[in-house]
Amino acid sequence: MQEINVALIGYNFMGKAHSHAFENVPFFFDHGVKPVKKVIVGRTEHLVKQAAERFGWEEFATDWRDVIHREDIHVIDIATPTSSHIEIALEAAKAGKHIFCEKPLAMDAHEAHRMFEAAEQAGIVHMLGHNYRRVPAIGLAKKLIQDGRLGDIHHFRGVYLQDWLLDPNFPASWKLNKKVAGSGPHGDLNAHIVDLARYLVGEIDKVVGMEKTFVDKRPKVKVDDQLSSKLTAKGEMTEYEAVTVDDTTAFLAKFKNGAVGTFEATRFAGGRKNHERIEINGSKGSLVFDFERMNELEFWSNEDDLEVQGFRRIMVTEDVHPYINAWWPPGHIIGYQNTFVNEFADFFKAIKDKQQVYPNFYDGVMNNKVLDAVTKSIQSLTWENV
């Protein structure tokens, strides 16, 4: 069993998800690799200490620069706000560490390209955190498309809808600060469906978009750590803070293969907690994936007899389906947390086998190019090339 020592930078939502995955990779995947939770890093000592104890890390630290250059660290896992990705990644690449980075890769395509070049020059394994690619139903969708079951692709239709900002008194956080987050649901949510569109359909050529900020200021709260999403009680709010990102962004897209696409991301869709849904229509068939029913894939084929044509619901839980043979017997569904286990299983296997893994920083560059082109089109009020 090859042990790979990990330093995780960030300890909130993604820090928890990643910590859980590291623990479970060798339990479910017989790749001969064991991730070791060596050190977790955060700026506020008492919070990162709590995270280390709760999530099972050997050590904690408050300065990622010191950790990156430790000889006993093999992997740097970046789970911090977007604005900090480039500095950490460039230093990690310089130190020759393998890198996992949460999406979006960077604030813009220029930063993303610098990160990609540095990682390539260092000869390291680099991976971008788009865990939805590791949903078995998405893996099956990819196979059906590659096998020609949909024919020529005509449409991609994707939405990612949440409602956690619907209350105008919901307090400000770093995710509403453009200097830290880069954008609102555009970079946070559209990035996911752009990745799925590229993965399943192909490269995007042109885009035109629109955005809206519905609430331009929110109550400011006292927080112990600006990188923390933990917010204090409403009673401690003292002033208002400007919202400098979008609340919703939607755009149209033209793919290089001739398909057309629609994309919508919002944090103002009342009743929608984490509603990611895509539909792909081709000349021979269609696919529908809804993350709220993540173990299912809907498939329609015009090759079926007309009297029985219609969308069929496929339970993607058989051993023949992607990743499922590592989990439970047929019909025993998996959940959101398991996608991270699948993701990191591929990442650590790539390190062991000295191979590249996908999506990687190149995919991050291409994703950022699409996001940037949408932002540019909103400003120019016209179609922009990716």
Side-chain angles (χ1 to χ4, degrees):
M1 182 72 73
Q2 179 182 343
E3 293 190 346
I4 298 178
N5 294 341
V6 181
L8 169 61
I9 306 175
Y11 53 83
N12 284 303
F13 175 27
M14 282 299 105
K16 182 177 182 179
H18 292 196
S19 297
H20 171 271
F22 298 149
E23 191 76 26
N24 285 277
V25 163
F27 187 93
F28 288 98
F29 289 86
D30 186 20
H31 291 339
V33 180
K34 180 183 179 181
V36 177
K37 292 188 285 189
K38 201 70 179 175
V39 56
I40 187 170
V41 185
R43 295 195 308 178
T44 303
E45 184 171 351
H46 73 279
L47 293 178
V48 73
K49 180 181 179 182
Q50 290 173 6
E53 294 170 351
R54 183 180 179 190
F55 301 152
W57 289 81
E58 293 181 11
E59 309 170 36
F60 68 91
T62 56
D63 191 337
W64 59 263
R65 294 170 183 83
D66 294 339
V67 171
I68 278 178
H69 293 281
R70 282 175 43 167
E71 293 184 1
D72 63 337
I73 298 299
H74 309 124
V75 167
I76 300 298
D77 180 8
I78 304 172
T80 59
T82 312
S83 61
S84 62
H85 288 183
I86 184 170
E87 184 181 13
I88 299 171
L90 292 182
E91 193 71 17
K94 184 179 178 181
K97 311 298 184 182
H98 304 296
I99 308 172
F100 185 98
C101 185
E102 271 300 335
K103 61 83 211 164
L105 183 59
M107 297 286 276
D108 55 45
H110 175 71
E111 283 190 359
H113 191 262
R114 288 181 60 196
M115 294 167 68
F116 170 64
E117 282 191 328
E120 287 289 288
Q121 290 171 5
I124 60 172
V125 175
H126 47 92
M127 188 175 191
L128 179 63
H130 280 293
N131 62 302
Y132 293 122
R133 286 200 191 193
R134 265 61 189 186
V135 175
I138 292 295
L140 177 59
K142 177 71 170 178
K143 183 178 186 301
L144 292 173
I145 292 170
Q146 286 181 326
D147 290 348
R149 301 289 292 275
L150 268 66
D152 296 328
I153 304 300
H154 298 318
H155 291 281
F156 175 90
R157 204 170 291 108
V159 299
Y160 205 146
L161 313 177
Q162 298 177 343
D163 71 354
W164 59 279
L165 287 181
L166 195 58
D167 181 357
N169 291 315
F170 189 91
S173 78
W174 68 265
K175 286 199 170 189
L176 306 181
N177 184 339
K178 188 176 182 66
K179 292 181 179 179
V180 180
S183 64
H186 185 46
D188 191 20
L189 305 181
N190 270 334
H192 273 304
I193 49 180
V194 167
D195 182 70
L196 290 179
R198 291 186 58 250
Y199 180 57
L200 297 173
V201 178
E203 296 295 353
I204 295 172
D205 188 32
K206 299 175 184 293
V207 295
V208 63
M210 62 177 291
E211 67 175 23
K212 177 74 174 180
T213 301
F214 298 109
V215 178
D216 60 8
K217 64 179 180 179
R218 289 185 177 273
K220 188 175 182 178
V221 296
K222 298 176 182 178
V223 291
D224 292 317
D225 182 359
Q226 290 302 316
L227 297 184
S228 173
S229 62
K230 297 181 183 298
L231 302 172
T232 54
K234 286 186 177 182
E236 297 181 37
M237 297 174 186
T238 58
E239 58 184 306
Y240 282 85
E241 185 173 309
V243 173
T244 54
V245 300
D246 51 300
D247 284 328
T248 181
T249 295
F251 67 95
L252 305 177
K254 299 178 182 178
F255 290 80
K256 290 187 176 181
N257 60 11
V260 298
T262 63
F263 298 74
E264 180 190 7
T266 182
R267 294 167 174 162
F268 273 71
R272 297 297 190 184
K273 303 306 176 184
N274 197 54
H275 181 77
E276 181 188 33
R277 185 183 188 277
I278 64 171
E279 179 168 335
I280 301 173
N281 309 121
S283 60
K284 294 170 59 177
S286 296
L287 292 173
V288 177
F289 171 75
D290 182 345
F291 178 67
E292 293 174 344
R293 304 173 70 98
M294 65 168 282
N295 290 274
E296 302 174 9
L297 185 70
E298 293 184 64
F299 173 59
W300 172 87
S301 174
N302 68 1
E303 295 181 337
D304 292 338
D305 291 339
L306 186 60
E307 62 184 354
V308 295
Q309 272 190 19
F311 276 96
R312 69 188 71 170
R313 181 176 66 100
I314 304 168
M315 284 295 294
V316 190
T317 59
E318 299 288 340
D319 284 348
V320 296
H321 294 140
Y323 299 103
I324 290 296
N325 61 359
W327 293 98
W328 317 116
H332 291 70
I333 60 177
I334 66 171
Y336 174 71
Q337 72 279 8
N338 305 125
T339 65
F340 291 93
V341 181
N342 296 341
E343 182 174 54
F344 280 108
D346 288 346
F347 177 62
F348 288 110
K349 185 177 187 299
I351 293 173
K352 178 177 178 287
D353 296 343
K354 298 180 180 179
Q355 297 178 345
Q356 197 47 265
V357 66
Y358 303 93
N360 57 33
F361 285 11
Y362 173 79
D363 295 288
V365 173
M366 299 307 294
N367 196 303
N368 268 116
K369 282 187 174 182
V370 175
L371 299 178
D372 290 357
V374 172
T375 299
K376 186 178 180 181
S377 79
I378 292 169
Q379 297 167 349
S380 67
L381 300 177
T382 188
W383 287 88
E384 295 287 350
N385 295 323
V386 172

